Amino acid sequence: MTEIKRRTLLRSGAGVAAAGILSAPMVHAQGTGGTLRCGFWDHWVPNGNVIMRQLCAEWGQANRVDVQMDTVTSNGNQILLTINAQAQSRTGYDLMSFPAWEPSNHQRMLEPVDDVMRNLTQKYGAVNSAAEYLGKPAGTWVAIPAVAGTQLKPSCVRFDLLQQHAGIDIRAMWPARGERGATADQWNWETFARAAEACHRAGFSFGLPMGSFTDAVDWVGALFNSYGAFMMDDKGAITVRNNAKLRAAVEMCARISRFLPNDVWAWDDGGNNRALISGRSALIFNPPSAWAVAKRDAPQVAENCWTVPMPAGPEGSFAAYLPYFWGIWNFSRSKGAAKAFLEWLSDRAQAERQTNGSNGYDIPPFASMADFKVWETEGPPVGTVYNYPVRAHHNAKTSIAMAPAPAAMAVQMYNQGLNTKLVARIVQGGESVDQALGWVERELNTIRRGG
Amino acid sequence: MAADASTAPNMSSAPNSGRASSLQRLARRRSTIAVLMTTPLLVVLIGLVAYPAGYGIYLSTLNRRMTGFMEGEWLPTGLGNFEILLESETFWAVAWQSCIFAITAVILKALVGFWLAHMLHHIPSKGQRKWRGMLLIPWVIPPALSTLGWWWMFDPAYSSINWLFQVVGIPAVPWLGEKWWARLSIIIVNVWYGAPFFMIMYLAALKSVPEQLYEAAAIDGATSWQRLRYVTLPMMANIISITVLFSLIVTFANYDIVRVLTNGGPRDLTHVFASYAFQVGILSGNIPRGAAVSLFMFPILAICAFFVLRGVTRRNKEQM
């Protein structure tokens, strides 16, 4: 009889255990597809996070992947700090929400997603030009334009005040249906400046911030773009000197700024919201979040609000756009699952659920998705946000301030608010246009050095 | 006999000590124990101070993409970011504003703290404790929270201070929208937050001044001003110097007040080194240049520290 020794027993046991482990499926909490760690932007609209959690759970169950979702707030720039910390340490989430300029900032750390974008554009058509400029910095898509968190900043108008003090019937100009009003062609910056003056004199100044926060930089950027006014071209060359378009845009912006409240130079991104909700302002540039808060806190204000495109300039109408992106870190060990998940999230059905969940706040990157029902039905007044997404009859393009400068430099110009400071130097600082343009040229030289 | 200077007192019996291994002897040495006891502190200092500082210096030498060292035109390679900053109009405005902010705020904090400490010192000890507690409140509230409270009071559209002004017929003040008002606002908040620290330090110093000195001064017929000038101030000089130095370092590196109240505006005229470094480094994605901005604080503070500490050392020698 063969004697079973201790060593033999141990050896056999180890072999059985190893065979079991190697042959067993990778069992995780929820399925067999591994784990996907997601850091999504913490949505301002509370229900936005709820919808995203539902979507994560649904896709996770269908694909047997344990989708772990965190929300990262943008308050205090926490999301930027998280992105930078993960990029430096090369560890963290598999996929994250990236604010507008971050895909180009971290392009070397992001997994290319050309394949996902190819599939999506085949299904839904081209992505808007501003999203392509930000998400495809060197000819390769490094992040997918996200639905959740992406916003436009059209005009949110108190139609009663504009009618009363400036004689403009904005609802007739931009009705809640797919056509322009008879007077829509008059909605340009010249008309806007005259209306700003009239409302200012009546005590209902337009609430347009002029500091260095995004709302300020975005609306001034859209005005500049509608004049074809660029401070730097796409090759990185400074185009400030002898630039008649830039001078015209600066002069128009300075003219409008003189009819704003005297403290707009210190407004943050909430300043314009507060101006509208308090009933002190006849117009702001903002997503419908200001109107949504007014609906709750000041219904008499909300009932008189109407969202319309930004005014047009000599080069057309531009809509201030501030997107989020979904990007996959190149150190992720679940790139395949992340791509599949993000493509699914971008599909029309899921995009519509995100937009509905945010009460119409979230804007998908595809023009073919500008027909979601939520924008027609939201109110009061019903149709107030019909013209929030860029629709075909607006004849407008999305605008990102500081484009077409190379993203590496544009992000610095943007975050330092060079366009608003240029105007502030003239209107608040008392400098001449030439002095202010000289200053911005020197700043651009500083930014350009060292990339 | 006293314990040997280099070894800990031997608690074991004498016959065993001769057989102790060299490892045991090493463990028993005072220097070994000292190293072991300070190791946690050293680990913390190296991990949380020395390493980040060294890494910050390294980052400041890189180009924006962090793929190589930043070249300079007239400074050597690696110092290119510093060269660019030295040629930048905005950076010099930031440096100027940082100095205005830090120096003004520290002087005001020292004066307010000194005055409060004197007031407290002369309150009978029974009531002193509650006043001391109340006056320390600004210092114990997290500054980000209290600054938010101040921001609501300064808020451009709904300033409660302006509302009170209007009640008594004073025109509204653009607290955060106009250059000098914005600068004043951040100094006011910093003084409100930091003065209690000066107060408590000065109060401790006042309590340590021997009463006999005042009695002798009174016998000599000294006025209250002379008692302050020739007794109190010389006795407090070292505490004043150290407190000012400490506060100067903290105030120069201040970030949250500027960030919450003005974000550097209007027109970058309230930026300090830390807020500008954050804007350039994190928000604008140029981490090396942001690191270079923050490192500019170092030589300024080093010079201040050198002179203040030299003064303290000199006074100590004179008193010995």
Side-chain angles (χ1 to χ4, degrees), chain A residues 76-77 80-81 84 88 102 105 107-108 212-213 262-263 265-268 274-275 278 280 407-409 411-412 415-416 421 424-425 428-429 439 442-443 446-447 449-451, chain B residues 55 59 63-67 70 73 80 83-84 87-90 151 155-158 174 176-179 259 263 266-268 276 278-280 282-287 289:
Chain A
N77 293 301
L80 291 182
L81 294 168
N84 278 289
Q88 289 285 310
E102 295 309 295
N105 268 347
Q107 54 185 291
R108 292 184 315 283
S212 55
F213 285 92
N262 66 357
D263 48 14
W265 316 100
W267 281 13
D268 62 5
R274 289 190 290 275
S278 66
R280 294 182 181 191
M409 287 173 230
V411 60
Q412 298 179 68
N415 280 301
Q416 292 174 33
K421 282 180 202 158
R425 283 182 166 257
Q428 205 197 20
W439 166 81
R442 291 191 294 279
E443 287 297 303
T446 303
I447 286 172
R449 285 183 62 186
Chain B
Y55 191 58
L59 281 177
N63 60 25
R64 183 179 178 275
R65 294 176 186 278
M66 296 194 269
T67 52
M70 181 70 191
E73 284 176 8
E83 181 188 300
I84 289 169
E87 292 174 355
S88 161
E89 217 171 300
T90 304
W151 178 77
D155 176 71
Y158 306 107
L176 306 176
E178 202 274 325
K179 177 173 75 170
R259 179 73 189 158
N263 194 35
R267 292 175 282 135
D268 289 333
Y276 187 60
F278 186 79
Q279 187 185 69
V280 172
I282 301 293
L283 296 181
S284 305
N286 196 339
I287 289 177
R289 203 171 293 174

Side-chain angles (χ1 to χ4, degrees), chain A residues 154-187:
Chain A
S155 323
C156 180
V157 183
R158 278 286 302 272
F159 58 80
D160 55 335
L161 295 176
L162 208 64
Q163 173 80 67
Q164 186 182 347
H165 302 296
I168 296 172
D169 185 353
I170 202 75
R171 287 187 297 176
M173 209 178 249
W174 297 104
R177 53 181 184 273
E179 62 184 30
R180 299 163 72 89
T183 52
D185 290 342
Q186 293 169 18
W187 188 235

Side-chain angles (χ1 to χ4, degrees), chain A residues 42-93:
Chain A
D42 189 8
H43 211 298
W44 285 320
V45 181
N47 199 40
N49 290 341
V50 175
I51 296 295
M52 193 56 92
R53 283 192 194 285
Q54 287 173 3
L55 292 171
C56 286
E58 281 175 29
W59 187 86
Q61 277 176 352
N63 295 277
R64 294 194 296 170
V65 174
D66 179 18
V67 182
Q68 298 174 355
M69 177 188 148
D70 285 339
T71 53
V72 187
T73 181
S74 52
N75 290 337
N77 293 301
Q78 189 61 43
I79 196 162
L80 291 182
L81 294 168
T82 306
I83 288 168
N84 278 289
Q86 298 200 355
Q88 289 285 310
S89 62
R90 294 174 189 273
T91 182
Y93 296 117

Side-chain angles (χ1 to χ4, degrees), chain B residues 113-301:
Chain B
F114 191 76
W115 176 71
L116 286 173
H118 259 275
M119 295 293 110
L120 272 182
H121 189 53
H122 291 101
I123 292 175
S125 57
K126 192 182 170 190
Q128 203 180 94
R129 196 180 299 167
K130 68 181 173 198
W131 281 105
R132 212 164 48 205
M134 281 193 288
L135 287 167
L136 274 176
I137 286 174
W139 194 51
V140 297
I141 299 175
L145 279 182
S146 53
T147 308
L148 209 54
W150 277 99
W151 178 77
W152 283 329
M153 291 196 282
F154 290 140
D155 176 71
Y158 306 107
S159 164
S160 56
I161 302 175
N162 279 351
W163 183 80
L164 289 173
F165 279 7
Q166 280 173 349
V167 169
V168 293
I170 300 173
V173 172
W175 290 104
L176 306 176
E178 202 274 325
K179 177 173 75 170
W180 285 106
W181 283 115
R183 285 175 169 168
L184 181 67
S185 299
I186 59 171
I187 289 170
I188 287 172
V189 176
N190 190 268
V191 171
W192 176 84
Y193 170 70
F197 169 70
F198 279 79
M199 178 199 75
I200 209 74
M201 295 293 282
Y202 290 170
L203 187 61
L206 278 174
K207 286 185 184 299
S208 67
V209 178
E211 200 56 36
Q212 296 91 319
L213 293 181
Y214 291 113
E215 288 166 8
I219 292 166
D220 289 344
T223 62
S224 54
W225 164 248
Q226 285 170 324
R227 283 205 297 272
L228 178 73
R229 171 72 183 80
Y230 296 108
V231 179
T232 309
L233 285 178
M235 292 300 288
M236 290 176 67
N238 279 354
I239 290 288
I240 290 174
S241 301
I242 297 289
T243 313
V244 164
L245 175 64
F246 182 80
S247 180
L248 201 60
I249 291 169
V250 174
T251 310
F252 246 106
N254 189 279
Y255 167 76
D256 36 20
I257 292 176
V258 173
R259 179 73 189 158
V260 173
L261 281 188
T262 64
N263 194 35
R267 292 175 282 135
D268 289 333
L269 291 167
T270 58
H271 262 310
V272 290
F273 283 122
S275 60
Y276 187 60
F278 186 79
Q279 187 185 69
V280 172
I282 301 293
L283 296 181
S284 305
N286 196 339
I287 289 177
R289 203 171 293 174
V293 171
S294 61
L295 284 173
F296 261 97
M297 278 187 282
F298 183 70
I300 297 172
L301 294 175

